[in-house]
Structures are given as C-alpha cells and as structure tokens.
Amino acid sequence: MSDTRRGVGRPRAVARPASGLSPREEVLAAAAELFTAQGYSATSTREIAERAGIRQASIYHYFKGKEDILAELLESTVRPSLEAARALLGSPAPAASRLWALCHRDARLLCSGPHNLGALYLLPEADRFGVFQELRSALRDCYADLLTAVAPGLPQAERAVRAQLVFSVVESVILIRRDASAPVPGTLAEATADAALRVGGVADGELPAVRDLGRTLAADG
C-alpha cells in the first residue's frame, strides 16, 4: 500500500480537522513547524506525532526516524530548484534571463510556504546529510554554469567568486524571512533576483529586459 494512504491499524491519536494531507505529509508538516520553531535537537518524535495527530509508532510506517524526516525536509528545499536549473541550462533563451529565472524560482521556493524551511540549513545537524549537501552543491554548480554564460570574459577565479556571491544572495532570503516585516514572497523573490544579477555583472540598463524575459521563463517552469 502506498505510504500516502491511511493504513488500517494506524488510527489517529487525536481527532484533527481534515487537512487534505496524507498522514505522511502531516508528519512532515508537523516536523517542519517544530524544527523551525524550537530546533531539531529539542524536538522529539512524540511531539511530532502529537502535532500530526497520529500515534508515535505510526511515524515509523513512513520514516525510519527523526533524521529521515529532517533529510526529506532539507531535500525539498533544493530538488525543485535543481530540476528548474537543469531545464534552464538547456534552454536557448539568453543566459542572463535564464539566471534571473533560476534566482527568482529558487528564492521564491525558499521564502514561500508556511514555515521557513531554509532556516534548517543553519542547523549544525545539516552538515551530515550527504544527499542534501550533494543536491545543494549541484545547484550551486548550475548557478556557476549560467554565470559563465552571462559573463564568459571573466577570469575563472573571479567568476567562481561571483557565482558563490550570487548563490549567497539568493539564500539570504532565509535570514530576511525571519523578520516579521519581510516582503511578500513574490516581491522578495523579484528583488533578490535583481540583486543577484547585479552581483553577477548585469548592468542596471540591461536589467529590465532581462527581468521581463526571466519572468516568462520562471512562470513556464
């Protein structure tokens, strides 16, 4: 039986309003809330189960343990952006607009949703999740490849530094989102993409046209 269906013999511990989520998704949602609010180490599987409205033992029908839950949450912040990046690398559109679209989509992913999952990057435990780190490294490489196409004349060392800066500008939305007065996701994603392109070497005079096409590319993904 698929793990997205409620199995016989795994009843809810408490009655909860219908959310439209499967039990597995409810576990992830509960863990996301607790990990971002009180930290990973301070959260137990018992608390996750209680928040999800299921029995603690039922968690183990879907995950091996708390580490598996954190791994999935971390990977969910990168996989969609990596898929978009690989598609954009193969696009015939101008490189600057492709890079803008990637920055926008990545920033939007990080600053959307009910919980600031990007803040999980800051957990000391995040360093030991190999698959997440590999995905994030692959995404960073895609940024570097697009920047190479945007600024092919840059010396390799400077291009590497700029690529890291562009990537860091995008991930800065994680910290900005911690502020209760942070802009709405769409506004923040556009401003972040603009800032990242400036860091990447796109002149202000070129940015409106780059942004216009980038919006179309971001929407098409």
Side-chain angles (χ1 to χ4, degrees):
M1 178 180 293
S2 169
D3 61 9
T4 60
R5 297 177 57 190
R6 199 181 310 284
V8 175
R10 299 194 288 275
R12 290 190 175 281
V14 296
R16 286 171 60 86
S19 64
L21 300 178
S22 69
R24 187 176 191 279
E25 291 167 336
E26 287 178 333
V27 169
L28 288 170
E33 180 180 357
L34 291 167
F35 290 166
T36 55
Q38 64 188 33
Y40 173 76
S41 297
T43 300
S44 67
T45 54
R46 177 184 58 78
E47 289 176 292
I48 295 170
E50 288 176 353
R51 185 63 56 92
I54 63 174
R55 301 183 188 282
Q56 184 176 3
S58 296
I59 285 180
Y60 300 100
H61 290 287
Y62 310 108
F63 300 97
K64 293 179 181 178
K66 195 170 71 165
E67 283 203 354
D68 275 9
I69 298 172
L70 178 56
E72 178 140 349
L73 289 173
L74 286 168
E75 291 168 26
S76 74
T77 68
V78 181
R79 286 189 189 279
S81 294
L82 181 57
E83 291 170 4
R86 287 170 171 165
L88 286 164
L89 282 171
S91 168
S97 292
R98 287 184 284 148
L99 180 58
W100 191 96
L102 174 57
C103 293
H104 182 277
R105 291 191 60 175
D106 197 9
R108 178 106 193 197
L109 177 66
L110 291 171
C111 64
S112 298
H115 308 294
N116 188 9
L117 290 181
L120 300 178
Y121 293 12
L122 307 178
L123 293 173
E125 295 86 359
D127 289 341
R128 68 173 184 256
F129 288 86
V131 173
F132 162 66
Q133 295 296 345
E134 289 171 9
L135 292 171
R136 192 165 171 233
S137 178
L139 178 59
R140 188 185 298 111
D141 289 344
C142 290
Y143 273 91
D145 289 344
L146 281 171
L147 185 60
T148 296
V150 170
L154 283 177
Q156 183 176 356
E158 182 178 351
R159 192 164 59 239
V161 170
R162 287 206 191 190
Q164 182 61 53
L165 286 170
V166 167
F167 191 65
S168 297
V169 167
V170 173
E171 289 196 342
S172 71
V173 301
I174 295 168
L175 298 178
I176 294 171
R177 190 178 173 187
R178 287 181 156 185
D179 186 340
S181 62
V184 296
T187 302
L188 181 54
E190 288 222 347
T192 301
D194 284 357
L197 266 288
R198 291 188 179 100
V199 170
V202 175
D204 282 350
E206 300 172 0
L207 195 52
V210 167
R211 184 193 305 118
D212 285 345
L213 178 55
R215 285 173 179 155
T216 300
L217 293 171
D220 287 345

